[in-house]
Amino acid sequence: MQSYTIGQAARLLGVSPDTARRWADAGRVATHRDDGGRRLIDGRDLAAFSVELARAGTTGEDTPYTSARNAFPGIVTAIKLGDVAAQVEIQAGPHRLVSLLTREAVEELGLEVGVEAVARVKSTNVHIDRF
């Protein structure tokens, strides 16, 4: 499972690294240390925490998380797979984006809950890129 540094988690949540660090220090999101001593957050824990923040209606900061090119970097929070189609949800700061795509695309991208991805919005279509 992918893990994220405090800085990476902050970017995905749309907050400052200091805010993410305070949340970790307060025990709002679990962390563990890697061999180098860096604090990391498990991808599944970060996904659950991002949904919790969105449901609360705030990320803790007043600045909206936007992109000039309609690209929303975030974390995959849910995947529903059918025989042919799939639904992928991404939490990008305060924004929840849902994309309908093929099951094959989800598998090729290696998407799973807790993985970092970018939702690109054009008109009514949401495209997903994986790093």
Side-chain angles (χ1 to χ4, degrees):
M1 170 48 52
Q2 186 167 351
S3 293
Y4 298 91
T5 65
I6 295 291
Q8 290 170 322
R11 185 175 50 79
L12 293 170
L13 295 171
V15 299
S16 72
D18 287 336
T19 297
R21 199 171 292 108
R22 279 193 301 273
W23 287 339
D25 291 344
R28 291 188 62 189
V29 62
T31 63
H32 63 279
R33 299 230 180 231
D34 67 5
D35 294 338
R38 294 182 310 163
R39 281 199 301 183
L40 300 175
I41 301 171
D42 179 75
R44 289 189 181 274
D45 292 339
L46 185 59
F49 185 64
S50 70
V51 170
E52 176 187 323
L53 286 177
R55 286 192 180 133
T58 182
T59 59
E61 297 188 354
D62 294 332
T63 305
Y65 190 77
T66 62
S67 170
R69 293 189 176 190
N70 298 324
F72 296 84
I75 188 166
V76 176
T77 58
I79 297 176
K80 296 176 185 167
L81 292 175
D83 291 336
V84 176
Q87 177 180 311
V88 177
E89 294 183 23
I90 293 178
Q91 193 69 43
H95 308 291
R96 176 179 163 262
L97 296 111
V98 179
S99 179
L100 301 176
L101 56 163
T102 65
R103 179 186 184 113
E104 181 181 19
V106 170
E107 292 168 351
E108 285 180 5
L109 289 169
L111 295 177
E112 60 184 43
V113 172
V115 168
E116 186 176 3
V118 175
R120 296 189 188 278
V121 180
K122 180 170 173 152
S123 185
T124 59
N125 297 315
V126 178
H127 304 268
I128 297 178
D129 300 328
R130 169 89 193 275
F131 296 100

